[in-house]
Amino acid sequence: DAKTTQPPSMDCAEGRAANLPCNHSTISGNEYVYWYRQIHSQGPQYIIHGLKNNETNEMASLIITEDRKSSTLILPHATLRDTAVYYCIVRVANNDYKLSFGAGTTVTVRA
Amino acid sequence: EPEVTQTPSHQVTQMGQEVILRCVPISNHLYFYWYRQILGQKVEFLVSFYNNEISEKSEIFDDQFSVERPDGSNFTLKIRSTKLEDSAMYFCASSYTGGPQHFGDGTRLSIL
């Protein structure tokens, strides 16, 4: 799997957009970018994934650069409940391929 | 929204005892996984399971570990003879065909 690089931590103001960067410069053509988050003491929660096009769902938006070497997860209006560790994971597009978690970014949303 | 459920939420066991952690995956999912997270460390892959057999396992998943899908709804992780270092959160996950994996809230395993 391609490795990812994320900042260890970031703060965000409640109600503002949170932009979480991720570098994956060695990504292969058949690898997707997945984002998960883990709120304290809970299981990882799926947020969004994409291959090369930008994606949006009810939780977030995913912007992938044209060369696919980096991406940004956008939480449009951060709330205190968005405080969590966010993981950017590159995963082969295969049916039962494992997820390889790194250390992620600890996001703290402040009132 | 369908979810993965795990029981018990907390299991306390004496070292050397056998323990079984239980999971009910999302009903139409076909791929099943176990991960673990030692306190303060990363989430680590243990094993994936499809069509009633293990498809991949990590170095952590040694002969002390086994998985089973005893019926159409449950997916279990057994540790035969627990060690102190098995203390961790154990997460079950499931997915449909190559889609995102959905996780349960875990079982905290404490070995005394």
Side-chain angles (χ1 to χ4, degrees):
Chain A
D1 291 332
K3 292 196 180 297
T4 63
T5 304
Q6 299 179 252
S9 64
M10 61 184 293
D11 284 1
C12 172
E14 188 179 24
R16 304 295 292 270
N19 297 300
L20 282 63
C22 179
N23 287 321
H24 30 79
S25 58
T26 60
I27 192 169
S28 301
N30 65 344
E31 289 179 318
Y32 284 74
V33 180
Y34 278 78
W35 282 85
Y36 281 78
R37 73 180 183 183
Q38 189 174 24
I39 297 169
H40 181 62
S41 78
Q42 297 181 18
Q45 179 187 23
Y46 165 75
I47 301 173
I48 199 166
H49 74 284
L51 183 62
K52 53 184 177 182
N53 296 324
N54 297 338
E55 302 287 345
T56 294
N57 63 20
E58 64 278 4
M59 289 183 69
S61 296
L62 174 60
I63 309 297
I64 303 174
T65 58
E66 194 168 338
D67 63 8
R68 302 211 319 126
K69 293 185 177 181
S70 65
S71 60
T72 301
L73 179 76
I74 301 172
L75 307 177
H77 305 287
T79 71
L80 298 178
R81 289 177 297 177
D82 292 321
T83 293
V85 180
Y86 287 76
Y87 302 100
C88 169
I89 300 170
V90 169
R91 176 184 176 232
V92 172
N94 197 349
N95 284 336
D96 62 352
Y97 210 78
K98 66 186 178 190
L99 292 169
S100 297
F101 287 83
T105 297
T106 300
V107 174
T108 304
V109 181
R110 302 192 186 278
Chain B
E1 185 177 321
E3 59 183 25
V4 175
T5 57
Q6 292 187 241
T7 56
S9 56
H10 190 190
Q11 174 81 46
V12 181
T13 302
Q14 292 287 335
M15 187 172 58
Q17 295 291 107
E18 175 184 285
V19 66
I20 297 176
L21 309 183
R22 302 181 191 279
C23 169
V24 178
I26 294 173
S27 62
N28 66 338
H29 283 187
L30 303 175
Y31 300 88
F32 312 110
Y33 312 83
W34 284 100
Y35 293 79
R36 80 170 186 190
Q37 186 175 31
I38 294 170
L39 186 64
Q41 297 187 22
K42 299 176 187 178
V43 178
E44 301 174 287
F45 168 77
L46 291 179
V47 66
S48 59
F49 190 86
Y50 169 71
N51 201 24
N52 280 321
E53 60 183 30
I54 291 173
S55 43
E56 186 181 0
K57 59 183 180 179
S58 71
E59 291 179 354
I60 302 167
F61 195 88
D62 62 21
D63 291 344
Q64 293 299 312
F65 290 86
S66 62
V67 289
E68 194 179 31
R69 187 155 162 82
D71 52 42
S73 59
N74 291 287
F75 181 51
T76 62
L77 174 70
K78 181 193 292 186
I79 309 175
R80 263 180 268 284
S81 178
T82 50
K83 309 182 190 69
L84 293 176
E85 54 264 37
D86 294 327
S87 295
M89 284 290 290
Y90 287 81
F91 296 109
C92 173
S94 69
S95 66
Y96 187 51
T97 53
Q101 294 175 28
H102 295 271
F103 287 74
D105 274 339
T107 292
R108 181 183 303 280
L109 179 61
S110 299
I111 308 299
L112 305 179

